[in-house]
Amino acid sequence: MKILAVDEKRCTGCRLCELVCSVRHEGAADPARARIQIVKWEEEGVYLPMACRQCEDAPCAAVCPVNAIGRDPELGRVTTDHDLCIGCRACVSACPFGVLGFHEDRGKTFRCDLCHGDPTCVKFCETRALRYEEGDRVVAGRRRAAAARFRQAVAE
Amino acid sequence: MALNRRIAYVDLSAGSVEVRDVPLELRRKYLGGRGMDAYLLYNHVEPGTDPLGPDNALVLSAGLLSGTPAPAGARCQISAKSPLTGLLGSANMGGFFGPELRYAGFDHIVIQGRAEKPVYLWVHNGSVEIRDADHLWGGDAVQTQTRLREELGDPDVKVACIGVAGENQVRFACVRTGIKNAAGRTGMGAVMGSKNLKAVAVRGTLPIRLADPEGALGYLEELVDYIQSSKYAEIMGKWGTLFIFDVTNSTGLIRTRNFQSNQMPHSEDLECEAMDRYTMGMAACFGCTMHCRHKYVLPEGRFRGQYGEGPEYTSQGAFGTEVGAASMLGVLEANQLVNLHGLDTLEVGSMIGWAMELHEKGLLPAELVGDLDLRWGNLDAVIRLIDDIAHRRGLGDVLAEGPKGAIERLGPETAYYNIHVKGMSNLHSDERPTPSLALNIATSTRGADHLRSRPAIDLYHLPPKVLERIYGKPGLSDDYRVYEGKPWMVVWQERLYALVDALGVCKFQSVFLSPNMPKAEEYARVLRLVTGLEFTPEELMEIGERVTTLERLFNLREGATRADDDLPERYFTEPTPEGLPAVRGKCIDRDRFEAMLDEYYDLHGWDREGRPTPETLARLGLDAEPTRLV
Ligand code: SF4
Ligand code: SF4
């Protein structure tokens, strides 16, 4: 299953991902309603992209009183049925990552939908801080990087 | 909509704010950013206004594509009558302020009057409040931003502010945003300080609707690929502008020890690779894929442990070759200090380099020098002088007046040694071997300047066919030493850069340092998809021409003449002592320079005194200015 993988060390803080995400989903340059957002510690130069983690056992789904939140097994994403959603924001408060947004005008929530399997943010992220990859490959990459550091330490 | 942003008039004397719409007619003629700045300045600043008096207007303008996914749509223009030159003041900054201003519902803020006590502006989703800033006065330019974010309770607030240099009305104080971004030139920070305005804080969540969202995404993906596939983007992404040093120093095109040489030997510690020891990665401005800014933590020295960003090529020159020092750590320390104080790095380096040469020539009064050791390469003196300039102490207080004011204080015999045009110092580049770049600094609307008409690619020996494709004229020479054909290259670049500044996109992603970057053709398409406004590339270049011409009118109204479109005397009298054979022993030839200037005026439709003719004004729709439409 592919996941939206984040390598925050590569992030330059440009926020182009926020922009193109909002253009795709809202038809507007509207970072406040982007499904991915960059959290910054500007005074330290640290930038961290945050988006829905498509939890297996999703807290947002668990708290929904009308069972509007389900899983799309094909893309491995968590979805909200907006016909059922009553706009109570229980899910928004329940999300431990704070990545569920609420559209005041529409009275509905929004979250990353992986652009139905072709994430726009990934296409525009020049540094490849964002990738759309098989979950096990993401970890394998990290494992190898850690092993390389270990190897070097041992050699020294 | 990209076109529904508004304009706020703030009168700090009266404590009032008035919000108005921008007529579509003005959008079509000036777009936004620097274009609208020129219009607003020409219409709201009477000739003869004291730049540091309450009647001067400080105008902040986001570009028309700022905040949209146009490549590097990050920029914001800040303008006023300049306290440095007495002419057009205008500076451009990247970062995240311009886009946030638009999300807050505004494109332009025009600030007039003077507050009785320090204030800041809080701009938030359609409203502008004037708030007390007593507690912020005296704070440095990074601290001030942090404090405002804390006070306003939102880490995403963006701030444009001044440091102590602006408070003290140093005539080249800049306006700062983020860790290092600055509207650097022409003293806009001093104007802010004169108004008792410490900061403008902005935050907004209003969407900018795109005319054709899917079409825009499709084309922008292509355009980003085009930009990023160039070698230049790769170099910028790795080194930032520091790479330019290696090129100009090895050739002999860098100003050294004020103006005594054009090359600096044994300067490995200034080369871009020297930054490897300090950098911890790159940061980008809003919406930019190129990421040209280093992030660093100083591992040693005076500011050990401090986080900073940059430096630019400008600082390598200013605190390197210009003052005869070759230490990247020194450059970083000076960079750190000018950013905290809110000073234009370039002007600071130039003024200090000049003082060092004056000292060497015995032209500085001993009581002013005091215990300062002004020998070339002494970074202790450089650091102390930066501090003294910002706080206006001793010699620093004299230098804080900028070229014109300092020459007045130190006497006419010092004038020859100061490398300025119209009262603004030149970049630490040496244009004696390159007539096109010399014409550029002589004619730019804001004084000696490399960002308003420089045909930098003239240095690349591009085949004439490529030059013809870019500049749209046959017969341009690939030799940077010749005078023929260069005025047109300067005029073309002038139009392109004015356009880029009006759009609020980054010059580094236009034909500036690389020929393979977007120009009017690409911008016309982006504009259509994003704003729905239809322009041909020719019409866009005409907007660039209109903007520069209106800036010219501003300067003429303040009394500028042909004599101001000149080079420092030394360009004509002292041949370059160093460099490759092609650049060594070169001066600018006075007669051929004047001929270039004639041709430059002719190409604009200006008379030989540099005044636009009535026909030219009519053609550009400028004959009725000031029209006071908003
Ligand atoms: S596009 Fe990539 S580099 Fe830019 S902010 Fe998003 S994650 Fe970071
Ligand atoms: S919205 Fe939050 S809780 Fe729900 S799936 Fe995404 S990350 Fe998990």
Side-chain angles (χ1 to χ4, degrees):
Chain A
M1 191 71 73
K2 283 187 168 180
I3 60 167
L4 182 70
V6 173
D7 183 351
E8 68 283 347
K9 285 198 193 62
R10 291 168 172 264
C11 177
T12 61
C14 73
R15 298 172 61 195
L16 188 54
C17 50
E18 293 181 7
L19 275 175
V20 294
C21 172
S22 66
V23 171
R24 172 123 298 150
H25 293 94
E26 302 287 332
D30 188 6
R33 283 159 204 90
R35 277 63 169 162
I36 183 165
Q37 288 184 342
I38 308 301
V39 174
K40 293 193 178 188
W41 285 264
E42 197 180 301
E43 291 85 353
E44 296 159 67
V46 176
Y47 320 128
L48 196 61
M50 297 286 283
C52 174
R53 309 195 61 101
Q54 320 291 359
C55 308
E56 290 289 345
D57 183 6
C60 58
V63 298
C64 178
V66 294
N67 281 327
I69 302 180
R71 259 193 98 74
D72 164 359
E74 204 184 316
L75 286 172
R77 60 180 178 170
V78 176
T79 56
T80 300
D81 182 339
H82 285 296
D83 290 335
L84 295 178
C85 170
I86 54 171
C88 72
R89 308 195 209 197
C91 56
V92 176
S93 328
C95 171
F97 301 100
V99 291
L100 248 169
F102 190 78
H103 213 298
E104 304 273 346
D105 304 348
R106 287 181 212 140
K108 303 282 180 194
T109 60
F110 58 85
R111 94 181 78 207
C112 170
D113 61 0
L114 297 172
C115 294
H116 313 294
D118 186 17
T120 311
C121 54
V122 171
K123 285 194 221 174
F124 280 86
C125 180
E126 193 274 332
T127 63
R128 299 194 25 90
L130 303 175
R131 283 184 241 197
Y132 190 52
E133 293 184 332
E134 290 299 330
D136 48 3
R137 277 205 31 214
V138 176
V139 206
R142 298 250 162 109
R143 185 161 59 233
R144 202 169 178 83
R149 285 195 296 276
F150 183 66
R151 185 181 160 194
Q152 203 180 350
V154 171
E156 281 164 8
Chain B
M1 257 250 291
L3 300 176
N4 67 355
R5 269 34 193 175
R6 309 177 80 193
I7 175 168
Y9 288 91
V10 178
D11 183 337
L12 291 176
S13 301
S16 64
V17 178
E18 199 192 321
V19 175
R20 288 184 215 154
D21 289 317
V22 182
L24 187 63
E25 181 192 341
L26 289 182
R27 287 273 175 249
R28 296 203 58 93
K29 280 176 90 168
Y30 300 101
L31 303 171
R34 181 174 150 199
M36 279 299 293
D37 266 21
Y39 181 84
L40 291 167
L41 220 54
Y42 196 78
N43 277 274
H44 293 287
V45 178
E46 292 296 323
T49 296
D50 172 6
L52 296 175
D55 293 338
N56 199 3
L58 182 78
V59 187
L60 285 74
S61 292
L64 198 53
L65 292 175
S66 307
T68 78
R75 319 282 308 182
C76 179
Q77 195 80 26
I78 303 187
S79 306
K81 182 172 170 182
S82 166
L84 188 65
T85 63
L87 302 171
L88 174 86
S90 176
N92 187 283
M93 69 183 187
F96 297 82
F97 181 89
E100 200 66 38
L101 181 61
R102 303 199 82 205
Y103 299 137
F106 295 94
D107 266 350
H108 315 285
I109 303 184
V110 180
I111 304 160
Q112 279 177 298
R114 170 187 281 146
E116 255 170 51
K117 289 177 6 157
V119 293
Y120 75 91
L121 297 184
W122 170 224
V123 183
H124 179 64
N125 283 357
S127 79
V128 180
E129 280 173 56
I130 304 171
R131 292 188 166 194
D132 184 69
D134 257 337
H135 58 301
L136 298 171
W137 206 253
D140 74 46
V142 172
Q143 205 175 62
T144 301
Q145 302 180 48
T146 311
R147 280 193 197 157
L148 275 169
R149 275 193 276 271
E150 279 165 7
E151 163 170 346
L152 294 162
D154 185 342
D156 292 322
V157 165
K158 303 292 175 228
V159 178
C161 67
I162 54 173
V164 292
E167 292 177 8
N168 292 328
Q169 300 179 32
V170 173
R171 283 177 190 269
F172 43 89
C174 62
V175 179
R176 291 264 295 98
T177 188
I179 303 301
K180 69 84 70 168
N181 289 96
R185 312 229 60 200
T186 64
M188 297 300 93
V191 177
M192 243 174 111
S194 75
K195 298 192 172 306
N196 259 326
L197 178 64
K198 180 67 180 175
V200 179
V202 296
R203 174 76 176 123
T205 53
L206 306 174
I208 300 173
R209 302 240 152 267
L210 263 57
D212 177 357
E214 283 307 313
L217 285 180
Y219 178 55
L220 289 171
E221 204 185 330
E222 242 176 75
L223 196 54
V224 166
D225 276 350
Y226 168 65
I227 290 166
Q228 289 304 134
S229 65
S230 71
K231 184 85 192 148
Y232 156 74
E234 194 187 318
I235 293 172
M236 282 291 273
K238 184 159 168 36
W239 303 115
T241 55
L242 296 180
F243 84 91
I244 303 172
F245 178 87
D246 300 31
V247 182
T248 54
N249 192 43
S250 57
T251 321
L253 292 169
I254 194 157
R255 186 143 70 92
T256 306
R257 282 180 282 114
N258 199 28
F259 198 69
Q260 305 194 54
S261 186
N262 53 324
Q263 197 168 49
M264 185 152 128
H266 313 299
S267 54
E268 293 73 22
D269 199 22
L270 284 177
E271 288 171 4
C272 59
E273 290 80 3
M275 192 60 200
D276 277 349
R277 264 183 287 136
Y278 306 100
T279 189
M280 49 182 251
M282 304 303 275
C285 291
F286 189 88
C288 171
T289 48
M290 213 181 263
H291 51 79
C292 70
R293 186 158 81 239
H294 288 275
K295 303 188 286 185
Y296 59 81
V297 173
L298 288 168
E300 58 200 305
R302 296 175 180 88
F303 305 113
R304 188 160 171 262
Q306 277 194 23
Y307 174 76
E309 290 175 8
E312 302 285 340
Y313 171 60
T314 315
S315 297
Q316 270 165 311
F319 308 118
T321 58
E322 174 71 359
V323 295
S327 154
M328 187 59 88
L329 182 64
V331 169
L332 291 173
E333 289 177 337
N335 182 56
Q336 200 71 5
L337 201 53
V338 294
N339 284 341
L340 292 176
H341 286 335
L343 283 164
D344 174 9
T345 187
L346 192 164
E347 208 68 46
V348 173
S350 287
M351 293 307 286
I352 296 178
W354 176 59
M356 285 178 160
E357 188 175 0
L358 292 183
H359 177 65
E360 188 181 54
K361 302 236 155 31
L363 290 170
L364 270 191
E367 71 275 12
L368 258 187
V369 179
D371 62 346
L372 269 171
D373 176 0
L374 286 178
R375 269 174 302 184
W376 296 113
N378 182 9
L379 284 165
D380 288 328
V382 171
I383 295 287
R384 205 179 111 190
L385 267 174
I386 294 174
D387 228 28
D388 287 351
I389 289 171
H391 292 98
R392 281 187 168 276
R393 290 187 290 245
L395 177 60
D397 182 39
V398 177
L399 300 181
E401 287 299 299
K404 280 184 179 169
I407 289 168
E408 220 164 89
R409 298 266 291 268
L410 296 174
E413 64 284 7
T414 64
Y416 176 81
Y417 299 100
N418 195 301
I419 305 303
H420 74 91
V421 177
K422 301 181 178 70
M424 185 166 93
S425 294
N426 190 29
L427 176 71
H428 308 96
S429 51
D430 195 324
E431 289 83 1
R432 282 173 287 185
T434 55
S436 65
L437 308 194
L439 182 66
N440 137 233
I441 63 164
T443 55
S444 155
T445 48
R446 65 172 179 180
D449 185 73
H450 57 290
L451 293 170
R452 297 209 144 193
S453 56
R454 201 172 198 85
I457 56 174
D458 193 18
L459 298 174
Y460 295 2
H461 297 293
L462 295 170
K465 263 223 210 75
V466 176
L467 291 174
E468 182 177 341
R469 181 171 56 73
I470 294 169
Y471 291 105
K473 272 205 180 155
L476 295 173
S477 166
D478 63 350
D479 187 342
Y480 57 71
R481 292 168 300 180
V482 308
Y483 290 70
E484 291 71 32
K486 304 304 180 188
W488 170 247
M489 290 166 76
V490 172
V491 167
W492 188 90
Q493 296 281 181
E494 190 179 85
R495 290 175 189 170
L496 180 71
Y497 296 155
L499 167 65
V500 164
D501 289 340
L503 293 173
V505 294
C506 180
K507 222 157 271 170
F508 288 148
Q509 295 188 26
S510 74
V511 175
F512 173 20
L513 297 173
S514 161
N516 303 315
M517 284 288 129
K519 41 189 188 309
E521 283 72 11
E522 287 80 4
Y523 295 130
R525 206 161 151 195
V526 177
L527 258 178
R528 180 165 53 78
L529 294 166
V530 170
T531 67
L533 289 178
E534 301 269 356
F535 291 102
T536 63
E538 294 72 29
E539 285 168 335
L540 286 183
M541 291 299 266
E542 189 181 66
I543 291 177
E545 184 186 1
R546 180 176 301 116
V547 172
T548 357
T549 307
L550 189 53
E551 290 176 350
R552 179 91 191 169
L553 290 179
F554 184 91
N555 285 345
L556 292 172
R557 201 170 63 173
E558 296 292 346
T561 65
R562 178 179 176 123
D564 293 292
D565 295 334
D566 204 358
L567 294 166
E569 191 55 28
R570 297 173 91 173
Y571 277 71
F572 301 107
T573 55
E574 297 179 27
T576 46
E578 302 289 343
L580 298 179
V583 310
R584 187 188 301 222
K586 291 279 183 301
C587 291
I588 294 292
D589 180 272
R590 173 53 87 181
D591 293 341
R592 293 163 92 185
F593 172 77
E594 296 296 336
M596 276 204 302
L597 194 55
D598 286 345
E599 190 181 334
Y600 170 87
Y601 289 166
D602 292 349
L603 286 166
H604 280 91
W606 300 350
D607 67 18
R608 288 292 168 87
E609 287 306 311
R611 292 171 305 219
T613 63
E615 297 76 48
T616 301
L617 293 179
R619 176 172 63 78
L620 293 172
L622 291 172
D623 42 344
E625 289 307 334
T627 48
R628 302 245 151 75
L629 293 179
V630 68

